[in-house]
Amino acid sequence: MSIRQHLSPETVDVWSISLACAKLPSSGLIDVLSPAERTRAERFVQPKDRQRFITARTALRGILGSYLGLPPAAVSFRINAHGKPYLDPGPAMLQFNLSHSGDWALCAVTTAGEVGVDIERVRRRSEVHRLKIAQRFFSAHEYRAINSASPTDIESAFFSGWTRKEAYIKCHGKGLAIPLATFTVSIGATTPAALIQSDWNPVDVTQCRLYDLDVPAGYYGALALLAPEPVRICQLNWSVPAASNLR
Ligand SMILES: CC(C)(COP(=O)(O)OP(=O)(O)OC[C@H]1O[C@@H](n2cnc3c(N)ncnc32)[C@H](O)[C@@H]1OP(=O)(O)O)[C@@H](O)C(=O)NCCC(=O)NCCS
């Protein structure tokens, strides 16, 4: 396997994928998916959700294939015990992670280290509701920071924290086996993304880097990377090709 699309070791490429249904190719994409992915696709009750899943998976295959010099259908995944997909180890040593919410997906690709990405669409909820969720799931320090934000800043305090936390657990690939209250991220869209403390794995404070991502209005996005040195984040747009161009 050779890397076709250039990726320097100090870079994380983050691809934005539009899942807005009006713009999605109507058929043919499913042919690119594995039998297990097709079975998953068929389980979606809502056609819109099925089409978004198919589009995100097709894009993921297209993106990874473009680095590996493979057609999308030839990319093969393994899954760890907590569901994180990864590539068979090969000379490319590509790490990736996918996240989707509403009309958008993000796919992060790098050789710099284990990576996790999260995008969240803002849903209309009261401040009281957000504070209740933060009190229940976030660390005490994070909750205090959100609780002391002005009413107009609660949304950004909440979602900056949520996406940074989610990116961190996705980076390790252990899902909620990492209790959310056992680590603390910085809070607030104007506060640089950072892991402040982790009882779960204390060395991460120096080894895990967090980054906020540029995402469309109404969304928040963050990335976590286990890497010794800072990296450059390169944000790119992926266009889902017509099905006939995928094989
Ligand atoms: C997968 C998980 C880690 C994230 O789920 P999510 O936020 O609903 O979904 P995202 O869209 O960000 O990510 C899903 C993608 O991540 C990947 N993924 C699946 N399991 C993963 C894991 N354990 N670690 C990293 N990535 C994983 C897959 O590519 C998946 O895409 P797919 O559904 O097309 O297969 C979920 O298991 C989880 O634990 N969620 C916690 C939710 C929560 O309470 N968050 C509070 C944050 S404060």
Side-chain angles (χ1 to χ4, degrees):
M1 289 193 295
S2 64
I3 301 185
R4 294 276 170 85
Q5 186 134 241
H6 179 70
L7 184 60
S8 81
E10 310 81 27
T11 304
V12 182
D13 283 354
V14 181
W15 293 91
S16 295
I17 305 149
S18 171
L19 305 178
C21 287
K23 295 181 192 154
L24 300 183
S26 54
S27 64
L29 293 185
I30 200 161
D31 297 350
V32 173
L33 304 189
S34 69
E37 288 168 331
R38 286 185 209 191
T39 304
R40 260 190 85 183
E42 280 153 18
R43 281 201 214 114
F44 285 97
V45 177
Q46 299 295 333
K48 188 163 120 178
D49 295 335
R50 184 181 316 123
Q51 192 58 23
R52 281 177 167 161
F53 171 79
I54 293 169
T55 306
R57 277 292 166 142
T58 309
L60 174 65
R61 288 176 164 278
I63 290 166
L64 296 175
S66 74
Y67 292 93
L68 298 169
L70 292 174
V75 175
S76 74
F77 301 107
R78 289 169 184 258
I79 293 179
N80 80 3
H82 302 274
K84 184 173 184 176
Y86 61 96
L87 293 164
D88 280 331
M93 296 299 288
L94 266 195
Q95 310 273 357
F96 73 94
N97 196 229
L98 179 76
S99 179
H100 34 73
S101 185
D103 283 341
W104 289 94
L106 296 177
C107 173
V109 186
T110 188
T111 57
E114 285 279 354
V115 67
V117 68
D118 189 54
I119 183 167
E120 297 291 337
R121 179 170 64 89
V122 176
R123 298 197 186 95
R124 278 183 192 276
R125 296 286 188 272
S126 68
E127 289 155 21
V128 173
H129 176 86
R130 295 207 204 289
L131 287 171
K132 270 191 193 157
I133 299 285
Q135 188 167 31
R136 183 161 171 211
F137 294 108
F138 287 36
S139 73
H141 180 99
E142 291 163 340
Y143 172 67
R144 279 196 300 276
I146 296 170
N147 194 29
S148 62
S150 66
T152 50
D153 288 340
I154 284 188
E155 176 193 294
S156 66
F158 179 85
F159 279 99
S160 60
W162 179 292
T163 51
R164 290 167 191 172
K165 285 179 87 62
E166 189 84 20
Y168 175 67
I169 61 171
K170 292 187 75 186
C171 176
H172 279 290
K174 294 192 184 296
L176 294 176
I178 303 178
L180 291 168
T182 62
F183 64 95
T184 295
V185 299
S186 55
I187 295 291
T190 55
T191 311
L195 180 70
I196 293 172
Q197 162 271 336
S198 175
D199 290 344
W200 180 75
N201 197 27
V203 293
D204 280 349
V205 172
T206 52
Q207 293 180 0
C208 184
R209 297 165 193 286
L210 299 186
Y211 299 86
D212 287 332
L213 299 173
D214 287 331
V215 289
Y219 291 78
Y220 287 79
L223 180 135
L225 180 76
L226 287 173
E229 300 295 334
V231 293
R232 193 171 70 96
I233 307 291
C234 181
Q235 294 205 231
L236 304 149
N237 291 307
W238 181 260
S239 304
V240 177
S244 55
N245 293 331
L246 286 168
R247 284 166 219 124

